[in-house]
Amino acid sequence: MTAWFGLDRDLVERLVHGLGGPESAESVDGPRADRGAERVSKADENVGTAGIRAAFARAAWTMIAEPGDGVAGLVVGALGPAGALSAVLDRVGPTELQRRILGSEWSRGSTSADAESEDPAAMPASRVLGSALERWRPRLVSADLVAACETAIEVGVRLLLPGAPGWHAGFDHLGVHAPHALWLRGSPDAPAGERAIALVGARAASGYGEHVTLEAAAGLVDRGFAIVSGAAYGIDGAAHRAALGSGGVTVAYLAGGVDRPYPAGHDALIRRIREAGGAVISESPCGSTPSKWRFLQRNRLIAAASAATVVMEAGDRSGSINTAGQPKGLSFGCLSRRQKLDSCDRRV
């Protein structure tokens, strides 16, 4: 029996294919069927194997690293998702992990491999890697990962991988803070459109704030835009409902697993988003619960997946302000309750 990452190879392959399969694996499966009895080349088999291992490793990294973990992003970028996961499983120390990174293609192409730097885009210091390993190892539980994948397959969730159809190009602009993979429930093509606008704002929205949001979302849909938001109460919910009511596409990014609609009061709304050709997406695997940190990190995906972010109404310390502050494209602020909503501040 062949083992990958301490698990039976057949199990890993079944899980990956059940989640949609990597593009590299699909490219191998196609020729195999077309050729009939013709033997698939060893090179083709290796491509398929690497794709399956990488896809499973990316799924694992969504569990063992918190969203936006820049150290995890650098290690995965340097060693590849499978190589990085193997390093954690092998319980290598920070010095050995640093040595592997320095021997990678990333190090040879890096202009800032300062071993004492704490900038995630540079070579992490040994103590930074040590702290990261201590965070990751307790969360690498094979049974939990398999259970999350099984749940995803059961409820029809796909694993969306970087570079695959449906992956929004804006995610790649996040650098080492980009998601390792995304868990998607709904249409796999929904998040990839370039004509998307994020409408976000306060949960405790005023009646006027919701009214303006409804009009804005409907008007944008009429002009061919998709609406991106976070499925929360208040402004987010109003944006999604208006998009659906206008026959448009809307995408919701959650801070927890897509198998657990959050907030629970928006269960029906989230289901409508999926059924109407949109998608519900999370960086965390099935079974994950929302947290304050995950809400903040979810906001960067909302900004990255849209051409512009509009904060319809929010308090001065609202998380929606964090969304607009993400370094992506245009942001528009119809912001503070101390300001009139019709006096919007545009920032480029």
Side-chain angles (χ1 to χ4, degrees):
M1 179 182 71
T2 304
W4 285 349
F5 311 119
L7 295 170
D8 178 37
R9 170 177 174 166
D10 291 341
L11 171 62
V12 173
E13 289 184 330
R14 178 178 66 79
L15 293 175
V16 170
H17 284 293
L19 293 168
E23 288 301 302
S24 55
E26 291 174 5
S27 68
V28 172
D29 290 345
R32 181 181 295 137
D34 295 339
R35 296 174 189 174
E38 183 181 350
R39 188 179 184 85
V40 178
S41 71
K42 187 67 174 177
D44 284 344
E45 289 286 8
N46 289 340
V47 169
T49 295
I52 292 170
R53 285 171 55 86
F56 186 78
R58 285 190 176 278
W61 277 104
T62 68
M63 174 171 285
I64 66 177
E66 279 295 309
D69 186 335
V71 179
L74 184 146
V75 173
V76 169
L79 304 182
L85 181 61
S86 295
V88 178
L89 283 168
D90 294 343
R91 303 191 67 81
V92 303
T95 302
E96 170 61 17
L97 182 57
Q98 195 176 67
R99 186 192 67 79
R100 293 186 186 185
I101 295 172
L102 287 171
S104 68
E105 290 292 332
W106 171 87
S107 179
R108 286 187 282 275
S110 174
T111 59
S112 56
D114 177 5
E116 292 304 315
S117 174
E118 299 196 25
D119 177 2
M123 180 56 162
S126 179
R127 64 182 182 279
V128 175
L129 291 173
S131 297
L133 289 168
E134 290 177 3
R135 293 196 305 270
W136 301 335
R137 283 174 180 149
R139 302 176 65 169
L140 184 53
V141 180
S142 297
D144 291 346
L145 176 58
V146 171
C149 292
E150 295 278 15
T151 299
I153 293 169
E154 182 180 344
V155 299
V157 174
R158 294 177 60 91
L159 184 68
L160 188 59
L161 301 171
W167 184 267
H168 198 288
F171 299 141
D172 299 326
H173 299 157
L174 298 172
V176 294
H177 303 289
H180 303 290
L182 293 172
W183 301 86
L184 180 148
R185 197 173 182 186
S187 170
D189 297 324
E194 291 301 320
R195 289 180 63 82
I197 301 294
L199 300 182
V200 295
R203 289 174 172 81
S206 67
Y208 182 58
E210 291 196 10
H211 171 73
V212 172
T213 301
L214 292 171
E215 289 192 336
L220 287 166
V221 167
D222 289 344
R223 291 163 175 78
F225 287 93
I227 301 300
V228 178
S229 199
Y233 292 130
I235 298 298
D236 289 16
H240 290 305
R241 285 191 295 270
L244 292 170
S246 300
V249 172
T250 184
V251 179
Y253 286 86
L254 305 185
V258 294
D259 62 321
R260 296 185 175 186
Y262 188 90
H266 275 176
D267 187 356
L269 173 62
I270 290 172
R271 183 170 61 252
R272 286 179 60 205
I273 291 172
R274 303 195 315 265
E275 293 172 350
V280 181
I281 301 172
S282 177
E283 196 170 353
S284 300
C286 290
S288 301
T289 56
S291 66
K292 182 177 181 181
W293 172 258
R294 290 173 181 172
F295 277 113
L296 291 172
Q297 292 303 307
R298 179 274 309 268
N299 292 347
R300 84 193 196 288
L301 299 184
I302 292 176
S306 57
T309 301
V310 184
V311 182
M312 302 304 300
E313 178 187 35
D316 292 335
R317 302 184 65 181
S318 170
S320 301
I321 309 301
N322 169 269
T323 309
Q326 297 295 328
K328 171 67 169 66
L330 299 174
S331 64
F332 299 81
C334 301
L335 301 180
S336 174
R337 291 195 180 94
R338 297 181 308 195
Q339 301 170 342
K340 293 183 179 180
L341 287 171
D342 57 357
S343 59
C344 296
D345 168 46
R346 175 175 176 173
R347 292 180 293 144
V348 179

